[in-house]
Amino acid sequence: MLERELPRVISGANSEKAENLKRLSGHLALFKESIFTSEIQ
Amino acid sequence: MIMKSFESFLTEERLERLNFETKVKRLNGLVSQMGEGYRKGSERVKRLPVDSSCRIMMEPFRQVHGEEEVKADIDYVKDRERKWQEEDHEREQESIGEQFELLKTAIFNKYLGERFIVVRSSFYDDYKNGVDNVMVDIQNGNVVCAFDEVGDDSFFKKLKEEKVSAKNLEEGGSSLKYGIKLKDGHPVATRLQNLPIFCLSLSADKIREGIQEMEFSVNKKSSAEDKMFEVFMEELKSQVI
């Protein structure tokens, strides 16, 4: 959900909010990569 | 005859309650053991500042925020707890909430402990920022947060989606004043911002059932725990992707 929603919200946000959301997006990408790996499951 | 069966019912109910209370104590013991492991440290992750309930301690942050500020935050925590006690704040709900926090801290540590540090947030971040758990990726140092809801999945689904969405998309994620990041395996006490936050939920009945059927050992997992972990992972997946 969050991954799908973020690009839309970032594009419509003012610069400060967009920067915050981009940082959030970076954390999310790393988390997605590590949490859903077959190694853990 | 009626009196006798009523007495036996009471005894059975009492025994069941005592049995459950014993299991909650064992769950506390298990989480405390996990906290002890973090405090002692390991090859990969050095000593973490967590207390006996696996919660990030605030005192070691004096060097980050200053003596006065940490003292003020500890006072804030004490004040909040005192007010709750005075108001007799939904004690049963609070206790099941506490049990859920212990339960998922234990489960995530069992299943994800090889890759993630999973601890409970400081009392300050719990009360002020609504964060219950903090997960630190041991390999890349990335941090995410979780909060929880005790409630029936279907009823809470919409509410949960709204809360998660608002926290992440409107507020830019969550903040931790008492956060931890890793540098070469050493914990660094720091303030963290723009962390993704997710919600994990379970009904009160499922929480009780989970505790009843749990293995109170760091290395053993029951089939009930397998199922609960699966549910949590599905919840995370639906919120991430």
Side-chain angles (χ1 to χ4, degrees):
Chain A
M1 181 186 80
L2 192 53
E3 192 186 36
R4 273 183 284 123
E5 290 287 310
L6 267 169
R8 182 185 58 80
V9 183
I10 289 172
S11 69
N14 64 37
S15 60
E16 193 193 350
K17 189 175 173 184
E19 278 311 308
N20 287 336
L21 290 171
K22 279 179 195 167
R23 276 195 291 272
L24 176 84
S25 179
H27 288 297
L28 186 72
L30 284 173
F31 181 60
K32 186 190 164 193
E33 194 183 296
S34 55
I35 194 89
F36 302 125
T37 55
S38 53
E39 185 191 341
I40 285 168
Q41 301 252 34
Chain B
M1 189 66 185
I2 291 168
M3 184 61 83
K4 197 174 176 184
S5 65
F6 184 57
E7 278 172 5
S8 80
F9 168 75
L10 276 181
T11 309
E12 204 174 298
E13 191 187 57
R14 190 163 176 268
L15 277 174
E16 210 171 281
R17 200 175 60 233
L18 283 172
N19 174 281
F20 182 69
E21 282 168 6
T22 305
K23 294 205 168 178
V24 172
K25 277 183 193 159
R26 293 185 71 190
L27 174 59
N28 265 294
L30 175 62
V31 173
S32 166
Q33 197 184 333
M34 289 165 170
E36 183 64 33
Y38 282 133
R39 274 199 303 282
K40 278 186 183 164
S42 65
E43 262 308 298
R44 295 196 308 155
V45 182
K46 309 304 174 204
R47 303 170 63 173
L48 288 179
V50 295
D51 67 12
S52 60
S53 63
C54 233
R55 197 180 273 284
I56 294 173
M57 293 163 76
M58 295 168 69
E59 290 81 358
F61 283 75
R62 286 186 181 118
Q63 287 180 335
V64 182
H65 302 307
E67 185 98 24
E68 285 302 306
E69 199 170 327
V70 172
K71 189 183 171 301
D73 289 345
I74 291 172
D75 287 345
Y76 164 82
V77 167
K78 284 180 184 164
D79 191 45
R80 180 127 184 203
E81 286 174 347
R82 201 187 57 243
K83 277 180 188 156
W84 276 343
Q85 274 177 354
E86 281 167 9
E87 291 166 12
D88 199 20
H89 184 82
E90 296 168 346
R91 278 209 178 138
E92 196 183 340
Q93 196 62 20
E94 233 185 285
S95 127
I96 196 80
E98 169 72 11
Q99 288 161 14
F100 185 30
E101 268 194 51
L102 291 169
L103 180 67
K104 73 182 155 54
T105 302
I107 288 179
F108 275 119
N109 268 293
K110 283 191 190 191
Y111 289 81
L112 301 176
E114 282 296 307
R115 177 76 190 243
F116 289 91
I117 292 165
V118 185
V119 292
R120 300 169 79 191
S121 65
S122 69
F123 280 116
Y124 181 86
D125 287 311
D126 190 343
Y127 300 160
K128 191 85 175 177
N129 295 320
V131 175
D132 295 313
N133 282 103
V134 178
M135 295 170 75
V136 186
D137 191 324
I138 296 169
Q139 282 183 24
N140 60 27
N142 190 46
V143 182
V144 297
C145 301
F147 68 98
D148 50 63
E149 295 282 357
V150 176
D152 177 65
D153 292 349
S154 57
F155 180 77
F156 274 86
K157 197 170 181 293
K158 185 76 185 157
L159 181 68
K160 193 171 63 185
E161 278 173 6
E162 282 170 6
K163 276 180 95 169
V164 169
S165 177
K167 281 213 177 227
N168 287 311
L169 300 174
E170 300 304 320
E171 297 171 30
S174 64
S175 305
L176 289 173
K177 185 167 182 179
Y178 294 86
I180 292 173
K181 64 179 184 183
L182 288 178
K183 195 177 177 191
D184 302 325
H186 291 272
V188 178
T190 184
R191 188 193 290 267
L192 294 167
Q193 283 174 312
N194 305 123
L195 306 173
I197 185 159
F198 306 105
C199 179
L200 296 163
S201 63
L202 215 53
S203 69
D205 284 348
K206 293 272 182 210
I207 293 166
R208 288 192 195 99
E209 209 177 292
I211 294 171
Q212 290 282 12
E213 293 173 24
M214 193 160 187
E215 289 280 358
F216 300 101
S217 155
V218 175
N219 303 313
K220 286 184 190 166
K221 296 160 186 161
S222 67
S223 58
E225 287 171 79
D226 289 344
K227 278 181 202 153
M228 279 188 285
F229 179 66
E230 213 172 286
V231 169
F232 293 151
M233 290 302 278
E234 278 307 312
E235 276 203 85
L236 283 177
K237 206 172 213 171
S238 72
Q239 289 167 50
V240 171
I241 300 169

